[in-house]
């Protein structure tokens, strides 16, 4: 037991010394999607109709492509609230950007894109076409995360007695990044085993090679790093309320993976005419996920949406959600705390949900 604990401590310390975001993949093609649904129903026979019948469905997705010559970013977010079987409110947001890097060795780019949203509180959607310039790139760092996971597993098993050198970890990550060159994951695992054998001076046993293959098959550990900032001009094709047609827009998007178990995402977007304090549209979102262990996941999300028409007070929403999920054998337990409020409201709406499920057979 002491040896296992010591091996984990040996892994954790150098993991923080290795910056995951220093890994640079030649090309990035990152796709992720999340969906969640909660529904509550309660009916008291002594009252007329159901006393509680509410639910919320949330959908989020992102597709990110980055190569030396061009990049593509597509982000979707949707929140749908139900009462009974009827949709009471909905907000959907779509952001698409195409980036072209005139000089591939540099990170300067020109872009064209579209921003759109639909809010059921308004009769018309927001659609804005954009073009401009920017700076920055994104890169898929999942290969280095998998290399660190391999190191962790082999330390726990005792195959490795000390942490790997940084150059060895990067060598493993580069090989994992060339996965498409191998006919199967077994062949890739064998190639990684040769790199490790050269490091420790001993051939890996079949069980250790199988552990490597299991890490290559793991889901939910995809990570990416990078940032972009862009400035341009926009033309509003449709807006919820009257306002300027020509706008300036400024947006910042960033991703950080502080360690193999964590991912931080941030996105802000401001669109306004030259009188920015009199009329603007602001969207801001941030999320943090952290895998505490093999069976426990923590996540937190924050979102701010605000529209200020000329001569009126801002209108919009804020929301924050915190969730802790446990997988305990055949059971799954989830604890979720949510806060939300309208811009014109003084107090926050609070929501606490605890759910549990068991696999009986």
């Amino acid at each position: 037991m002491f040896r296992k604990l010591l091996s984990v401590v040996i892994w954790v310390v150098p993991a923080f010394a290795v910056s995951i975001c220093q890994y640079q993949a030649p090309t990035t093609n990152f796709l992720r999607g999340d969906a969640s649904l909660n529904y509550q129903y309660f009916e008291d026979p002594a009252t007329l109709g159901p006393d509680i019948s509410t639910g919320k469905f949330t959908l989020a997705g992102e597709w990110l492509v980055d190569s030396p010559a061009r990049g593509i970013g597509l982000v979707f977010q949707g929140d749908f609230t139900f009462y009974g079987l009827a949709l009471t409110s909905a907000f959907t947001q779509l952001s698409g950007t195409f980036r072209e890097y005139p000089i591939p060795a540099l990170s300067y780019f020109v872009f064209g894109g579209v921003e759109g949203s639909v809010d059921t509180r308004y009769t018309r959607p927001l659609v804005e076409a954009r073009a401009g310039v920017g700076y920055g790139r994104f890169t898929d760092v999942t290969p280095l995360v998998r290399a660190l996971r391999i190191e962790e597993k082999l330390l726990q098993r005792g195959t490795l007695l000390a942490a790997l050198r940084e150059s060895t970890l990067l060598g493993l990550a580069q090989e994992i990044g060339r996965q498409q060159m191998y006919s199967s994951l077994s062949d890739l695992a064998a190639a990684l085993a040769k790199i490790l054998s050269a490091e420790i001076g001993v051939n890996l046993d079949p069980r250790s090679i199988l552990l490597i293959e299991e890490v290559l098959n793991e889901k939910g550990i995809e990570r990416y790093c990078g940032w972009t900032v862009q400035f341009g001009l926009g033309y509003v094709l449709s807006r919820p309320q009257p306002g300027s047609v020509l706008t300036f827009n400024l947006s910042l998007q960033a991703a950080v993976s502080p360690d193999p178990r964590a991912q931080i995402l941030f996105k802000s977007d401001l669109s306004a005419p030259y009188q920015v304090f009199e009329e603007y549209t602001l969207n801001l979102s941030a999320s943090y996920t952290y895998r505490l262990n093999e069976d426990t996941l923590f996540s937190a999300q924050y979102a701010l949406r605000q529209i200020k028409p000329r001569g009126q007070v801002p209108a919009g929403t804020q929301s924050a959600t915190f969730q802790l999920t446990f997988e305990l054998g055949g059971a799954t337990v989830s604890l979720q705390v949510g806060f939300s409020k309208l811009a014109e409201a003084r107090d926050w709406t609070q929501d606490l949900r605890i759910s549990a499920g068991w696999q009986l057979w």
Side-chain angles (χ1 to χ4, degrees), residues 180-200:
Q180 67 276 6
M181 299 176 59
Y182 292 88
S183 58
S184 66
L185 289 181
S186 298
D187 292 341
L188 175 57
L192 298 177
K194 290 182 179 179
I195 296 175
L196 290 167
S197 297
E199 169 78 9
I200 63 178

Side-chain angles (χ1 to χ4, degrees), residues 222-238:
E222 293 77 12
R223 303 283 185 265
Y224 71 100
C225 291
W227 60 275
T228 61
V229 59
Q230 57 189 46
F231 174 79
L233 298 175
Y235 183 81
V236 180
L237 303 173
S238 172

Side-chain angles (χ1 to χ4, degrees), residues 32-68:
R32 73 177 185 94
D34 301 291
S36 64
L37 172 67
N38 64 69
Y39 187 79
Q40 183 180 12
Y41 180 86
F42 174 76
E43 181 177 3
D44 186 343
T47 61
L48 181 63
D51 297 272
I52 301 175
S53 179
T54 61
K56 184 177 181 180
F57 176 68
T58 301
L59 182 65
E62 182 174 12
W63 181 42
L64 181 67
V65 177
D66 199 292
S67 67

Side-chain angles (χ1 to χ4, degrees), residues 44-322:
D44 186 343
T47 61
L48 181 63
D51 297 272
I52 301 175
S53 179
T54 61
K56 184 177 181 180
F57 176 68
T58 301
L59 182 65
E62 182 174 12
W63 181 42
L64 181 67
V65 177
D66 199 292
S67 67
R70 59 189 54 87
I72 300 173
L74 186 63
V75 180
F76 174 80
Q77 174 74 38
D79 296 317
F80 309 90
T81 304
F82 296 88
Y83 183 82
L85 297 178
L87 179 67
T88 57
S89 66
F91 177 85
T92 60
Q93 185 177 6
L94 178 67
S95 173
T97 303
F98 178 81
R99 303 187 303 274
E100 186 76 26
Y101 295 87
I103 304 176
L106 302 177
S107 297
Y108 296 96
F109 62 83
V110 294
F111 76 91
V114 63
E115 293 281 335
S117 64
V118 176
D119 192 331
T120 53
R121 295 180 302 165
Y122 303 104
T123 57
R124 301 182 63 187
L126 172 66
V127 181
E128 182 178 351
R130 298 179 174 181
V133 297
Y135 180 87
R137 289 185 181 274
F138 288 98
T139 186
D140 184 0
V141 297
T142 306
L144 182 53
V145 172
R146 293 194 187 279
L148 289 166
R149 287 284 291 160
I150 290 172
E151 180 190 44
E152 175 190 14
K153 294 288 188 180
L154 296 182
L155 278 171
Q156 291 176 347
R157 188 169 186 269
T159 304
L160 296 178
L161 301 179
L164 296 171
R165 294 178 300 172
E166 181 176 320
S167 58
T168 303
L169 285 170
L170 293 175
L172 291 172
Q174 290 172 359
E175 203 64 35
I176 295 172
R178 291 192 284 264
Q179 178 178 330
Q180 67 276 6
M181 299 176 59
Y182 292 88
S183 58
S184 66
L185 289 181
S186 298
D187 292 341
L188 175 57
L192 298 177
K194 290 182 179 179
I195 296 175
L196 290 167
S197 297
E199 169 78 9
I200 63 178
V202 179
N203 290 331
L204 269 64
D205 61 280
R207 177 54 185 162
S208 296
I209 298 176
L210 182 60
L211 281 175
I212 295 174
E213 190 171 344
E214 289 176 357
V215 172
L216 296 175
N217 268 311
E218 278 186 344
K219 305 297 182 184
I221 64 172
E222 293 77 12
R223 303 283 185 265
Y224 71 100
C225 291
W227 60 275
T228 61
V229 59
Q230 57 189 46
F231 174 79
L233 298 175
Y235 183 81
V236 180
L237 303 173
S238 172
R239 65 165 59 249
Q241 295 180 329
S244 301
V245 175
L246 295 176
T247 65
F248 297 97
N249 55 79
L250 176 66
S251 65
L252 171 65
Q253 186 174 0
V256 179
S257 184
D259 67 71
R261 301 179 186 273
Q263 177 77 77
I264 300 173
L265 302 175
F266 174 83
K267 187 177 189 297
S268 64
D269 182 89
L270 175 66
S271 175
Y274 68 95
Q275 296 173 317
V276 63
F277 295 107
E278 296 186 10
E279 177 187 344
Y280 62 82
T281 299
L282 173 65
N283 287 291
L284 186 150
S285 63
S287 67
Y288 175 77
T289 59
Y290 187 84
R291 182 164 292 279
L292 299 171
N293 53 46
E294 300 291 338
D295 305 313
T296 309
L297 180 68
F298 171 78
S299 63
Q301 298 86 30
Y302 172 79
L304 168 66
R305 310 181 186 106
Q306 198 167 76
I307 298 177
K308 186 189 182 308
R310 187 182 299 272
Q312 301 182 34
V313 297
T317 60
Q318 289 188 74
S319 65
T321 304
F322 307 89

